[in-house]
Amino acid sequence: MESNLLEIRNLQKTFPIRGQKFSLFGQREQMLAVDNLSFNIRKGETYGLVGESGCGKSTTGRMIVGLEKPSCGSITYEGKDLSKLNDKEFFPLRKEVQMVFQNTLSALSPRQRIVSILEDILKVHGVSDATERRDQAVKVLEKVGLSEYHYFRYPHELSGGQVQRLGIASALVIEPRLIICDEPVSALDVSIQAQILNTLLELQQDLRLSLLFISHDIGVIRYISDRIGVMYLGTLVEEAETDELFKNPLHPYTKGLFTSVPDPYIRKEKISDFSGEQPIRTNNFKGCAFCTRCPYVMDKCTERTPEFLEISHDHKVACRLYDIVE
């Protein structure tokens, strides 16, 4: 078994609730965007993080690459706690931990040609020779399915699929070991999605990359992931290897995700409908994260947060239906 490249333990991120007035003797109430989140990513593995919009997936990815600071908890990469590093200390690790954004076009300067975008990244990370920068940039473009023909074009001159390939190239050009992919195919046609996913799989195998793939689409997650973490309201409710999760989903929320997929090869038996939206989770929130929408809710579900228990080998779930501790 591969050792862990990244370990996340008890991660939490809070944001002040907008629109709420300050009290005279207190602070604004805080929303728990991520709460007590723990998982690991093994070397050479693709870990899929799935859940509906607003559950904290993107916030988790942004904390890993240092764009957001955790409120508490640890993000350990190769023995170093990234959450404790300042910008200067984090900079050398940016070469090893990169991110592909959901809307790549907005993350690229419209005034820069592709040659300038890629070579500037290399220049910032210490590649001083112009010929070496050009060779590396062209090489990485070819790896993601683009060519030297695109080298002097602007990002807006590319198609949606080509822009996402450029986003992947921007992450790969400095040869990272871990890439956070934040909904990289959600805005693309199905055929283009397949091309981008196949490109990521080939690169992951050829370069022995580790990927954290974030998506709300359970079908996409199934296609690319070795293991899957199901996230709801800022925390994991289930985690298992991909085949195991699809054969034997345990948590009611996971079953609900499968029910909502139109693919008959993914859809499981229909469970009772859970309507409504995710509530706002604050420090005053008690019980199971899913208790306000779960069709199987019991009194004990609202009293205590369920433990994240290993039910079988590498299959964990946080649900009072499987909680042996009373």
Side-chain angles (χ1 to χ4, degrees):
M1 180 181 294
E2 294 280 7
S3 58
N4 294 332
L5 181 67
L6 184 81
E7 295 183 1
I8 291 178
R9 294 291 176 266
N10 305 317
L11 195 64
Q12 185 181 89
K13 178 64 179 178
T14 62
F15 294 101
I17 298 177
R18 292 184 178 181
Q20 189 182 62
K21 295 181 180 179
F22 286 99
S23 61
L24 184 61
F25 300 104
Q27 296 181 340
R28 183 182 296 177
E29 191 174 16
Q30 300 288 308
M31 176 188 71
L32 295 171
V34 176
D35 184 31
N36 198 32
L37 181 67
S38 298
F39 66 90
N40 61 71
I41 301 175
R42 299 164 185 160
K43 294 178 180 178
E45 175 188 52
T46 300
Y47 186 94
L49 195 60
V50 65
E52 60 192 300
S53 297
C55 70
K57 307 185 303 296
S58 295
T59 301
T60 300
R62 292 173 64 85
M63 284 191 285
I64 293 173
V65 297
L67 296 178
E68 297 279 0
K69 284 293 184 183
S71 301
C72 65
S74 64
I75 304 170
T76 305
Y77 173 83
E78 292 282 81
K80 296 180 180 179
D81 188 352
L82 304 184
S83 64
K84 300 295 190 294
L85 304 180
N86 58 37
D87 290 342
K88 184 177 180 180
E89 294 168 331
F90 200 107
F91 181 77
L93 293 174
R94 293 195 185 280
K95 189 172 182 179
E96 300 192 28
V97 183
Q98 284 289 300
M99 189 167 187
V100 178
F101 295 93
Q102 180 176 0
N103 187 358
T104 301
L105 192 59
S106 67
L108 302 172
S109 172
R111 297 181 178 86
Q112 283 187 290
R113 298 180 188 269
I114 293 174
V115 54
S116 178
I117 293 171
L118 296 179
E119 290 195 18
D120 279 359
I121 295 172
L122 291 168
K123 189 183 297 184
V124 166
H125 287 277
V127 182
S128 57
D129 184 76
T131 302
E132 184 180 354
R133 289 199 303 267
R134 178 184 172 86
D135 290 344
Q136 283 189 232
V138 171
K139 184 179 179 180
V140 78
L141 283 178
E142 293 174 348
K143 282 182 180 179
V144 300
L146 298 176
S147 67
E148 196 169 357
Y149 167 75
H150 300 96
Y151 201 55
F152 293 100
R153 303 181 75 175
Y154 290 97
H156 69 268
E157 296 179 295
L158 304 180
S159 68
Q162 290 173 335
V163 168
Q164 286 304 101
R165 291 177 186 274
L166 176 57
I168 297 169
S170 299
L172 281 177
V173 71
I174 50 176
E175 300 178 348
R177 299 180 62 194
L178 172 65
I179 298 181
I180 315 300
C181 300
D182 184 14
E183 301 267 15
V185 298
S186 62
L188 303 176
D189 294 337
V190 174
S191 60
I192 306 301
Q193 283 186 11
Q195 293 176 20
I196 299 299
L197 292 175
N198 287 331
T199 297
L200 284 170
L201 284 172
E202 291 172 5
L203 292 169
Q204 191 262 346
Q205 294 171 2
D206 293 343
L207 305 177
R208 294 296 294 164
L209 294 170
S210 296
L211 302 178
L212 173 60
F213 196 94
I214 297 169
S215 179
H216 65 273
D217 189 329
I218 192 72
V220 169
I221 286 288
R222 180 186 193 183
Y223 184 76
I224 197 169
S225 304
D226 299 308
R227 287 189 302 136
I228 298 174
V230 181
M231 193 170 183
Y232 181 79
L233 211 62
T235 191
L236 286 187
V237 295
E238 189 166 0
E239 181 187 69
E241 293 184 357
T242 301
D243 290 342
E244 168 64 16
L245 187 72
F246 278 81
K247 288 178 183 177
N248 185 31
L250 298 178
H251 199 279
Y253 180 65
T254 308
K255 295 178 181 179
L257 287 179
F258 290 158
T259 301
S260 65
V261 177
D263 188 342
Y265 295 100
I266 295 178
R267 187 187 303 162
K268 300 294 182 180
E269 72 279 2
K270 185 172 179 60
I271 67 171
S272 301
D273 180 47
F274 51 87
S275 58
E277 299 181 359
Q278 296 180 84
I280 295 177
R281 188 168 189 170
T282 67
N283 286 324
N284 297 323
F285 191 97
K286 294 182 179 180
C288 173
F290 193 55
C291 68
T292 59
R293 300 171 68 190
C294 181
Y296 309 119
V297 64
M298 300 172 283
D299 290 341
K300 63 181 181 179
C301 298
T302 62
E303 297 169 357
R304 177 175 60 83
T305 302
E307 296 183 45
F308 200 48
L309 300 174
E310 187 169 11
I311 304 303
S312 59
H313 178 65
D314 277 349
H315 194 160
K316 300 178 181 179
V317 66
C319 180
R320 295 305 300 271
L321 293 172
Y322 309 95
D323 197 345
I324 60 175
V325 179
E326 296 294 341

